[in-house]
Amino acid sequence: MLVRRGAGWTLALRGEPEAPVDLADHDPAARAALVRADGLDRALVVPSSPLGIEALAADEAEPLLEAYHEGVRALPDEFGAWAAVGLVEPDPAALARLLDAGFVGACIAAGALDGPDGLERLGPVLETLERHGAPLLVHPGPAPPTTVALPGWWAALNGYVATMQTAWHAFAVWGRPAHPALRVCFAMLAGLAPLQRERLVARGGPAISDPDVFLDVSSYGGRTVDAVLREVGVDRLVYGSDRPVVAAADLPLGEAVRTALRQRNPARLLFTVTTEVPA
């Protein structure tokens, strides 16, 4: 929640230290200017899953999610958006309406997709995405509760990374067989899960290679992105950032990689390509 502290606001988020919030950083016009400054045509907005809104009881979550969906519809043309899905009582019909209204896909917290139970419970939601040819974005969240005083970077380097790696492996084992046509994007390079492939194979696991699973490069720099690129190939990476919390990193990997991350690969993730067969 946002808490008034003196003349300003502070974000209180379970599992992380309180952090000051400057509402001016979230002004739509200022954010639109950042999109243009980053050399992008459009940015896709996503709710912050660590807040835990989607995991609230349905009667508490629904008005907040509705407010999010209404708000992003009113943003400038520089923005599109991912739909948010309530996790306690998932509503595939509501998601279908949002997709028909122009939302590019749905965002679901990694913690809700960390095993067969979660994937089965959200199966109707994933099937809805498949039928619409729309992608899934897996994002860290919700943050685990703790009473221990932790460093400010703890959640970002531990809980978030661990849940993203778990969701990556769970989707490969249970999600992909159940949803063969679903395109998926994992935020923050799936917590670097692709770099664990040698260890995975050594322990008898599958050498995961899925052309319809993408990774956004948010919060990482050139060295790490290059390492993941060498593991999965350039065609699997898309541009993403944690603006305005963390400035977008410079990726000195060449113009071909820049074009792939910002143009070619996002188009493959977001849009279904159909080929007409002559009669």
Side-chain angles (χ1 to χ4, degrees):
M1 58 183 172
L2 286 176
V3 182
R4 176 71 77 175
R5 294 278 191 262
W9 292 96
T10 295
L11 174 64
L13 181 63
R14 187 167 60 183
E16 295 196 32
E18 291 191 353
V21 175
D22 185 347
L23 298 185
D25 288 341
H26 302 274
D27 176 75
R31 294 291 298 274
L34 283 176
V35 173
R36 295 189 296 272
D38 283 345
L40 303 175
D41 295 321
R42 204 166 190 232
L44 301 179
V45 177
V46 63
S48 181
S49 297
L51 294 176
I53 292 172
E54 300 95 322
L56 292 172
D59 60 341
E60 297 178 328
E62 287 174 5
L64 297 174
L65 298 180
E66 182 178 353
Y68 160 73
H69 292 128
E70 290 181 359
V72 294
R73 284 192 183 102
L75 290 174
D77 292 341
E78 285 85 353
F79 298 100
W82 297 87
V85 177
L87 300 176
V88 176
E89 297 180 17
D91 188 347
L95 174 59
R97 291 191 292 271
L98 291 169
L99 296 175
D100 290 339
F103 286 80
V104 299
C107 176
I108 295 179
L113 298 170
D114 62 356
D117 292 342
L119 285 161
E120 182 177 356
R121 181 166 52 84
L122 288 163
V125 169
L126 304 184
E127 290 166 3
T128 299
L129 292 171
E130 282 185 289
R131 287 196 301 272
H132 281 74
L136 165 69
L137 175 65
V138 182
H139 191 282
T146 181
T147 58
V148 178
L150 299 173
W153 48 263
W154 189 267
L157 269 295
N158 291 282
Y160 292 178
V161 170
T163 56
M164 291 301 290
Q165 291 195 8
T166 300
W168 166 271
H169 292 110
F171 182 80
V173 175
W174 296 290
R176 176 53 79 206
H179 305 282
L182 181 63
R183 301 189 307 282
V184 182
C185 179
F186 284 82
M188 50 175 282
L189 293 174
L192 304 186
L195 298 184
Q196 306 297 328
R197 181 158 66 169
E198 290 177 330
R199 181 175 175 83
L200 173 65
V201 173
R203 296 302 180 94
I208 299 172
S209 180
D210 190 330
D212 288 327
V213 171
F214 297 78
L215 303 106
D216 94 18
V217 300
S218 56
S219 78
Y220 288 101
R223 291 177 61 183
T224 305
V225 172
D226 184 53
V228 176
L229 184 156
R230 293 172 184 274
E231 180 63 39
V232 304
V234 69
D235 292 337
R236 304 274 298 283
L237 304 184
V238 296
Y239 181 81
S241 77
D242 283 333
R243 281 196 183 276
V245 179
V246 180
D250 180 39
L251 300 177
L253 300 174
E255 188 60 29
V257 173
R258 176 185 173 88
T259 300
L261 268 61
R262 292 167 173 255
Q263 298 179 27
R264 187 173 70 247
N265 298 346
R268 292 175 48 240
L269 166 65
L270 298 172
F271 304 109
T272 301
V273 178
T274 58
T275 303
E276 293 188 6
V277 179

